[in-house]
Amino acid sequence: MALMRSTEVPAGLAPILLPGERLVTAVRAHWGKLAEPVATMLLALTAAVWVDSNVTKTTQAVGTIFWWLFFGLLARLLWCLLDWSHNWFVATDKRLLLRYGLISHKVAMMPLLKVTDMSYVRSIPGQFLGYGKFVLESAGQDQALREVKWVPNPDQTYRDICAEIFHIVPPPGDEDFEEIDGEADDTGQPGGQIPPVSPIAPGGGTAYPDVHRTHNPIQDRLDSYSRAVPIQRPSGEAETVYESDDLKRRRRGADTGPIWPRPHD
């Protein structure tokens, strides 16, 4: 079950999305990332105007140096603006992606199944301006997507991603999300969900009568990449265990045929 804000894919992100992959959220870096280049350029402009208005014939070269400094910082600001416009932090129903780079386009990716921990840090300026830094942990050693800085509106972005990871449905009447659970696709199921399939015997019915499917979010995610069959313990405990195919054959054993009744003496 997925929750998303918009079905529109921003320009430039379509090439990195897989067919059938659903966009959950896509945000650019917070405008606070451009605060320092803008402030530096304005200070250089103020200094260049003041020096130029008080320049003399002997200090004319100093005024020229200040103007060249201003033009250099202006070019730096334009570069930062272009780089900012090409940077995206994207979350889909399958992956987390970070697209960055102006000349050489780069993409860092982490599957949602590999995310073991996700937190974010908000400094004092970030609390006033509305940005934060995401820290992602996974089971691998080398992580291509470790830190994501300058995330705008981190509270809502964090909730969107966590809701997708844990398949959490928003409460009724929540206008911040658009629930697509009621939509049907070519699978014939609401929201494109494929029902869990249990082994079917040739004559109909379940081939393994002791198999009981669970429908909690964690179980559904395990079933998506594990071929093991979840079963319930005979004692009726709530714990779910797994058995591979060879263990199932060993536990059930071969069919010895019917047992004939023993005649009475």
Side-chain angles (χ1 to χ4, degrees), residues 237-252:
E237 299 176 2
E239 179 184 359
T240 302
V241 298
Y242 289 84
E243 282 190 331
S244 59
D245 293 337
D246 56 341
L247 291 180
K248 286 185 299 183
R249 290 192 298 267
R250 188 183 307 170
R251 179 174 62 85
R252 291 184 175 86

